[in-house]
Amino acid sequence: MTIRQIALKTQAALLAVATLVAPASAFAGPADTYYERAFVVAADARCNLFQPELARALTAATAQARGAALRSGVAAADLTDVAYRAGARAGSVACADPQLAVVKDRVDGAFAGWTRLSRMTFPGDRFDWVANRAAYKRPTWRLQQASMVGSSPVAFGYAGEGETAALTAVVSWYGDPRPTSARLVFRDPARAPRPWLAGDSLIPASARASLWSSGVTAAAPTLLAKDKRAGDAWTFSSAAAEGLEQLDPRETFALEFHFRDGSVATVPFEAGDFAAGRAFIAMGTV
């Protein structure tokens, strides 16, 4: 099944959802799509409608719909209200409701295609997240975004072998100097609740969260950029992923590489659909 066919089936499934939830929906366009998917996720949590793999596919699709709504200009606070309304509506529908059974059947058919996809690209404004669920015996990128610092390619995301993947940054340096440490820098929602939408400009230091790498090793050849023969792999704790998932998809976060002479190389990345990509690879290898 192609991605286009999956999209058409998904649209048909959402029409069934719209029929059931229309009385509570006061939104249109991308926010409405997010409402419909959030409703199905909430109904599944309450009524156990779907198998775990399909439920994870729905979670990925819902995160993607939220990102699309934010990019279209819907405020994050409004989407919080959308999610609340969807949850409330799901709570008011009986699990034995015949219309909910219709929704279940159509969603089953639409999102089953997601569970068979091995690769998916989540486009961003400037950078894309590329997800890969194909099972390889050698380390590979499960979720990756590519950037540059000077002439040196840098990739960030989840990398690993088999079902195991860790949050990793891989860089192949041009020239001899090597950094002594690396850290992720992003907006701290506790200090700055509103998204920082200033292009490549990072949020002021007073509103930042940061997380230092837990270590560095030689990167596996399969994780290197094209035509590169060597590189460093810096690993980060899973706590970083929770912080990145809270960002607006239009926001920038960065990797900082700190050198012995006090200089810092800053590499920009885009939050994009990180949450959707993470949910997609959580479906497991195929």
mmCIF file of all heavy atoms in Angstrom, residues 241-260:
data_model
loop_
_atom_site.group_PDB
_atom_site.id
_atom_site.type_symbol
_atom_site.label_atom_id
_atom_site.label_comp_id
_atom_site.label_asym_id
_atom_site.label_seq_id
_atom_site.Cartn_x
_atom_site.Cartn_y
_atom_site.Cartn_z
ATOM 1 N N ALA A 241 14.591 13.769 25.031
ATOM 2 C CA ALA A 241 13.461 13.556 24.127
ATOM 3 C C ALA A 241 12.186 14.163 24.693
ATOM 4 O O ALA A 241 11.378 14.740 23.957
ATOM 5 C CB ALA A 241 13.272 12.066 23.871
ATOM 6 N N GLU A 242 11.998 14.046 26.005
ATOM 7 C CA GLU A 242 10.790 14.609 26.613
ATOM 8 C C GLU A 242 10.761 16.123 26.440
ATOM 9 O O GLU A 242 9.707 16.722 26.203
ATOM 10 C CB GLU A 242 10.744 14.253 28.107
ATOM 11 C CG GLU A 242 10.870 12.752 28.388
ATOM 12 C CD GLU A 242 9.822 11.929 27.681
ATOM 13 O OE1 GLU A 242 8.669 12.404 27.561
ATOM 14 O OE2 GLU A 242 10.136 10.808 27.248
ATOM 15 N N GLY A 243 11.940 16.754 26.570
ATOM 16 C CA GLY A 243 12.004 18.200 26.382
ATOM 17 C C GLY A 243 11.735 18.608 24.952
ATOM 18 O O GLY A 243 11.001 19.574 24.693
ATOM 19 N N LEU A 244 12.283 17.877 23.990
ATOM 20 C CA LEU A 244 12.103 18.213 22.585
ATOM 21 C C LEU A 244 10.655 18.029 22.144
ATOM 22 O O LEU A 244 10.159 18.769 21.291
ATOM 23 C CB LEU A 244 13.027 17.362 21.715
ATOM 24 C CG LEU A 244 14.532 17.583 21.914
ATOM 25 C CD1 LEU A 244 15.321 16.650 21.006
ATOM 26 C CD2 LEU A 244 14.919 19.035 21.670
ATOM 27 N N GLU A 245 9.959 17.047 22.724
ATOM 28 C CA GLU A 245 8.567 16.804 22.350
ATOM 29 C C GLU A 245 7.646 17.951 22.769
ATOM 30 O O GLU A 245 6.558 18.104 22.226
ATOM 31 C CB GLU A 245 8.068 15.497 22.961
ATOM 32 C CG GLU A 245 8.566 14.262 22.232
ATOM 33 C CD GLU A 245 7.754 13.029 22.569
ATOM 34 O OE1 GLU A 245 6.965 13.077 23.532
ATOM 35 O OE2 GLU A 245 7.911 12.016 21.863
ATOM 36 N N GLN A 246 8.064 18.744 23.728
ATOM 37 C CA GLN A 246 7.238 19.855 24.201
ATOM 38 C C GLN A 246 7.381 21.112 23.342
ATOM 39 O O GLN A 246 6.636 22.069 23.519
ATOM 40 C CB GLN A 246 7.597 20.190 25.653
ATOM 41 C CG GLN A 246 7.288 19.074 26.635
ATOM 42 C CD GLN A 246 7.604 19.475 28.057
ATOM 43 O OE1 GLN A 246 7.049 20.429 28.594
ATOM 44 N NE2 GLN A 246 8.511 18.759 28.687
ATOM 45 N N LEU A 247 8.342 21.100 22.413
ATOM 46 C CA LEU A 247 8.572 22.281 21.591
ATOM 47 C C LEU A 247 7.537 22.417 20.480
ATOM 48 O O LEU A 247 6.961 21.432 20.014
ATOM 49 C CB LEU A 247 9.968 22.208 20.961
ATOM 50 C CG LEU A 247 11.160 22.175 21.913
ATOM 51 C CD1 LEU A 247 12.458 22.085 21.117
ATOM 52 C CD2 LEU A 247 11.177 23.390 22.833
ATOM 53 N N ASP A 248 7.305 23.648 20.068
ATOM 54 C CA ASP A 248 6.513 23.919 18.881
ATOM 55 C C ASP A 248 7.304 23.399 17.678
ATOM 56 O O ASP A 248 8.526 23.524 17.628
ATOM 57 C CB ASP A 248 6.298 25.434 18.763
ATOM 58 C CG ASP A 248 5.395 25.812 17.608
ATOM 59 O OD1 ASP A 248 5.846 25.692 16.443
ATOM 60 O OD2 ASP A 248 4.265 26.263 17.852
ATOM 61 N N PRO A 249 6.653 22.785 16.679
ATOM 62 C CA PRO A 249 7.399 22.225 15.545
ATOM 63 C C PRO A 249 8.199 23.256 14.762
ATOM 64 O O PRO A 249 9.130 22.898 14.036
ATOM 65 C CB PRO A 249 6.308 21.583 14.680
ATOM 66 C CG PRO A 249 5.035 22.229 15.102
ATOM 67 C CD PRO A 249 5.202 22.524 16.557
ATOM 68 N N ARG A 250 7.853 24.537 14.904
ATOM 69 C CA ARG A 250 8.581 25.585 14.177
ATOM 70 C C ARG A 250 9.805 26.078 14.936
ATOM 71 O O ARG A 250 10.584 26.875 14.404
ATOM 72 C CB ARG A 250 7.643 26.757 13.910
ATOM 73 C CG ARG A 250 6.446 26.404 13.025
ATOM 74 C CD ARG A 250 5.377 27.466 13.087
ATOM 75 N NE ARG A 250 4.740 27.506 14.404
ATOM 76 C CZ ARG A 250 3.775 28.354 14.752
ATOM 77 N NH1 ARG A 250 3.342 29.244 13.874
ATOM 78 N NH2 ARG A 250 3.252 28.307 15.959
ATOM 79 N N GLU A 251 9.987 25.605 16.165
ATOM 80 C CA GLU A 251 11.088 26.094 16.979
ATOM 81 C C GLU A 251 12.424 25.458 16.611
ATOM 82 O O GLU A 251 12.485 24.336 16.113
ATOM 83 C CB GLU A 251 10.811 25.831 18.462
ATOM 84 C CG GLU A 251 9.752 26.736 19.056
ATOM 85 C CD GLU A 251 9.666 26.595 20.562
ATOM 86 O OE1 GLU A 251 10.433 27.283 21.278
ATOM 87 O OE2 GLU A 251 8.826 25.803 21.030
ATOM 88 N N THR A 252 13.488 26.196 16.922
ATOM 89 C CA THR A 252 14.844 25.713 16.733
ATOM 90 C C THR A 252 15.413 25.215 18.054
ATOM 91 O O THR A 252 15.170 25.807 19.100
ATOM 92 C CB THR A 252 15.742 26.854 16.198
ATOM 93 O OG1 THR A 252 15.280 27.240 14.903
ATOM 94 C CG2 THR A 252 17.193 26.412 16.094
ATOM 95 N N PHE A 253 16.133 24.102 17.987
ATOM 96 C CA PHE A 253 16.979 23.708 19.117
ATOM 97 C C PHE A 253 18.379 23.520 18.555
ATOM 98 O O PHE A 253 18.600 23.651 17.341
ATOM 99 C CB PHE A 253 16.459 22.448 19.808
ATOM 100 C CG PHE A 253 16.556 21.182 19.012
ATOM 101 C CD1 PHE A 253 17.639 20.321 19.164
ATOM 102 C CD2 PHE A 253 15.551 20.825 18.118
ATOM 103 C CE1 PHE A 253 17.724 19.142 18.438
ATOM 104 C CE2 PHE A 253 15.630 19.645 17.380
ATOM 105 C CZ PHE A 253 16.725 18.800 17.548
ATOM 106 N N ALA A 254 19.349 23.283 19.393
ATOM 107 C CA ALA A 254 20.723 23.258 18.901
ATOM 108 C C ALA A 254 21.576 22.244 19.635
ATOM 109 O O ALA A 254 21.299 21.860 20.778
ATOM 110 C CB ALA A 254 21.356 24.646 19.029
ATOM 111 N N LEU A 255 22.604 21.809 18.949
ATOM 112 C CA LEU A 255 23.696 21.052 19.555
ATOM 113 C C LEU A 255 24.875 22.007 19.700
ATOM 114 O O LEU A 255 25.217 22.726 18.748
ATOM 115 C CB LEU A 255 24.105 19.891 18.661
ATOM 116 C CG LEU A 255 23.397 18.559 18.846
ATOM 117 C CD1 LEU A 255 23.752 17.630 17.690
ATOM 118 C CD2 LEU A 255 23.798 17.920 20.161
ATOM 119 N N GLU A 256 25.465 22.052 20.861
ATOM 120 C CA GLU A 256 26.673 22.848 21.098
ATOM 121 C C GLU A 256 27.852 21.910 21.308
ATOM 122 O O GLU A 256 27.782 21.005 22.156
ATOM 123 C CB GLU A 256 26.517 23.739 22.326
ATOM 124 C CG GLU A 256 25.559 24.889 22.156
ATOM 125 C CD GLU A 256 25.529 25.784 23.372
ATOM 126 O OE1 GLU A 256 26.046 25.367 24.440
ATOM 127 O OE2 GLU A 256 24.966 26.888 23.285
ATOM 128 N N PHE A 257 28.912 22.129 20.568
ATOM 129 C CA PHE A 257 30.152 21.384 20.763
ATOM 130 C C PHE A 257 31.185 22.328 21.375
ATOM 131 O O PHE A 257 31.492 23.376 20.801
ATOM 132 C CB PHE A 257 30.659 20.811 19.437
ATOM 133 C CG PHE A 257 29.766 19.740 18.869
ATOM 134 C CD1 PHE A 257 28.868 20.035 17.850
ATOM 135 C CD2 PHE A 257 29.805 18.442 19.367
ATOM 136 C CE1 PHE A 257 28.041 19.052 17.329
ATOM 137 C CE2 PHE A 257 28.978 17.450 18.850
ATOM 138 C CZ PHE A 257 28.098 17.753 17.833
ATOM 139 N N HIS A 258 31.682 21.965 22.553
ATOM 140 C CA HIS A 258 32.602 22.818 23.301
ATOM 141 C C HIS A 258 34.035 22.313 23.135
ATOM 142 O O HIS A 258 34.314 21.130 23.365
ATOM 143 C CB HIS A 258 32.208 22.828 24.778
ATOM 144 C CG HIS A 258 30.887 23.485 25.033
ATOM 145 N ND1 HIS A 258 30.766 24.679 25.710
ATOM 146 C CD2 HIS A 258 29.617 23.133 24.680
ATOM 147 C CE1 HIS A 258 29.484 25.028 25.776
ATOM 148 N NE2 HIS A 258 28.769 24.097 25.149
ATOM 149 N N PHE A 259 34.938 23.245 22.768
ATOM 150 C CA PHE A 259 36.323 22.906 22.508
ATOM 151 C C PHE A 259 37.229 23.346 23.665
ATOM 152 O O PHE A 259 36.856 24.209 24.480
ATOM 153 C CB PHE A 259 36.795 23.551 21.201
ATOM 154 C CG PHE A 259 36.108 22.978 19.977
ATOM 155 C CD1 PHE A 259 34.832 23.402 19.618
ATOM 156 C CD2 PHE A 259 36.727 22.012 19.204
ATOM 157 C CE1 PHE A 259 34.191 22.879 18.497
ATOM 158 C CE2 PHE A 259 36.100 21.478 18.082
ATOM 159 C CZ PHE A 259 34.832 21.910 17.725
ATOM 160 N N ARG A 260 38.402 22.779 23.691
ATOM 161 C CA ARG A 260 39.347 23.022 24.788
ATOM 162 C C ARG A 260 39.748 24.490 24.882
ATOM 163 O O ARG A 260 40.027 25.007 25.973
ATOM 164 C CB ARG A 260 40.590 22.147 24.608
ATOM 165 C CG ARG A 260 41.456 22.024 25.860
ATOM 166 C CD ARG A 260 42.622 21.076 25.613
ATOM 167 N NE ARG A 260 42.173 19.757 25.207
ATOM 168 C CZ ARG A 260 41.732 18.819 26.052
ATOM 169 N NH1 ARG A 260 41.678 19.071 27.353
ATOM 170 N NH2 ARG A 260 41.341 17.645 25.598
#
